[in-house]
Amino acid sequence: MLDFEKLHKQLSQISISVEVSMDENFDFNAEGEAFVIESGSLLAYGDIDPDTGVRETQTFTTGDPIGFAEAIASKEKTFNFRILSDLTLRKFSTTEIRRQVNQSNVLSRTIIRYSIARIFGHKKPTSNFHFEDKFIDTNHDILSRQYFSKDEKIFSINTKPRAIFFIEKGSVGIISENRKQVAVLTDGECFGESALIHNRPHSHSAVANSNLNLLLIDGERVTKELNLDQPLVQYTLYVLLKRLALMNKLRGIT
């Protein structure tokens, strides 16, 4: 749906290419800067979990973002990084990212805010991350509702995505390939957006944990809405969903 390579090229005039050698002491957490890796890799690691005694680590490679989520949420960057190879980075201004996101279309803004909530591990999204009433009120004619009974499958792993789903009422279980429930979503939460926007098959199945009311925004309409935004907003949305996937790996939601 969103073409990362095309967007990356479009943004070359408002970003800067940075070369980083493997032995360089580079500050990835510099204020006002966010990056996307163009080539190379590095290891990201956080603090040791006081409950488990384990330090979370994850390898970042080509196309992975650094600092976008923190820029939008106005949070301090807390990851430490160890460079694994020479790097080429694309540097962006966090001020410009925030400015354009704040002016973006309501659908993009909602997905971005909701992704931020998940990235930072909020168990329940606040009302700021719920699907915005403005979009529903002005687009009721192109939205559809579906109802599922308890234990009914909404979609299966490796199937083609067709919509973004918003939970009006009920509970949804997100099921891994080995049939483990890795997440439970409830009223006000959405799912299916990452596979749709990245144009890849679903990496999990979704099952109704209770009788369920869903609001659907089909893929064609999502494309039209996202195309109303500037390339930097579309790019930010794309890389935030990549960051969310990385955080899910850190948390063991694979």
Side-chain angles (χ1 to χ4, degrees):
M1 178 173 290
L2 291 182
D3 188 331
F4 175 78
E5 294 299 331
K6 180 180 178 180
L7 291 169
H8 194 73
K9 290 178 181 178
Q10 287 179 318
L11 295 173
S12 60
Q13 293 184 345
I14 65 165
S15 59
I16 299 171
S17 180
V18 179
E19 300 290 335
V20 181
S21 64
M22 186 174 175
D23 57 357
E24 184 175 345
N25 185 22
F26 186 81
D27 186 3
F28 293 94
N29 294 326
E31 186 176 353
E33 299 176 351
F35 306 93
V36 169
I37 300 174
E38 290 190 322
S39 65
S41 62
L42 52 81
L43 184 70
Y45 56 95
D47 296 328
I48 295 176
D49 188 316
D51 296 324
T52 65
V54 175
R55 186 189 301 276
E56 296 177 334
T57 62
Q58 180 63 44
T59 301
F60 282 42
T61 58
T62 302
D64 290 336
I66 302 167
F68 275 74
E70 289 82 358
I72 296 167
S74 297
K75 285 183 174 287
E76 183 180 356
K77 301 172 187 174
T78 57
F79 273 122
N80 295 303
F81 296 95
R82 180 163 63 87
I83 299 174
L84 300 177
S85 68
D86 291 347
L87 295 168
T88 301
L89 305 174
R90 178 62 55 174
K91 183 172 73 173
F92 296 85
S93 162
T94 59
T95 300
E96 185 61 18
I97 293 169
R98 283 193 297 269
R99 186 187 72 81
Q100 291 203 25
V101 167
N102 288 336
Q103 295 176 355
S104 64
N105 176 47
V106 64
L107 179 59
S108 296
R109 191 166 62 250
T110 297
I111 298 173
I112 286 171
R113 288 176 176 175
Y114 190 66
S115 299
I116 292 293
R118 284 177 166 171
I119 286 167
F120 292 114
H122 297 173
K123 298 299 183 183
K124 292 282 186 180
T126 69
S127 59
N128 289 333
F129 304 114
H130 283 196
F131 200 89
E132 299 197 24
D133 290 340
K134 176 182 175 183
F135 185 83
I136 296 173
D137 292 342
T138 57
N139 295 282
H140 58 87
D141 57 324
I142 51 85
L143 303 176
S144 62
R145 283 178 170 81
Q146 286 191 358
Y147 305 94
F148 292 84
S149 300
K150 187 176 185 296
D151 296 326
E152 193 174 352
K153 186 169 287 187
I154 302 161
F155 56 73
S156 299
I157 192 170
N158 292 326
T159 57
K160 183 178 179 180
R162 60 187 179 89
I164 294 176
F165 301 84
F166 169 72
I167 304 173
E168 288 191 299
K169 185 177 181 180
S171 173
V172 173
I174 304 300
I175 312 299
S176 68
E177 189 173 12
N178 62 6
R179 300 183 181 180
K180 177 184 177 183
Q181 181 170 270
V182 296
V184 176
L185 308 178
T186 57
D187 298 7
E189 299 192 74
C190 68
F191 59 100
E193 71 282 1
S194 183
L196 185 67
I197 290 169
H198 285 164
N199 193 28
R200 57 171 174 74
H202 288 294
S203 58
H204 296 80
S205 299
V207 176
N209 282 347
S210 67
N211 292 338
L212 185 66
N213 299 352
L214 292 180
L215 181 69
L216 278 67
I217 309 170
D218 69 66
E220 182 177 352
R221 184 63 188 189
V222 172
T223 299
K224 290 179 180 178
E225 292 294 321
L226 297 187
N227 285 339
L228 295 174
D229 282 312
Q230 296 296 318
L232 181 57
V233 173
Q234 297 178 44
Y235 187 82
T236 297
L237 176 56
Y238 189 99
V239 298
L240 283 177
L241 290 171
K242 285 205 72 176
R243 167 71 182 276
L244 179 57
L246 289 168
M247 295 306 296
N248 285 341
K249 289 181 180 180
L250 278 169
R251 296 166 184 152
I253 306 174
T254 56

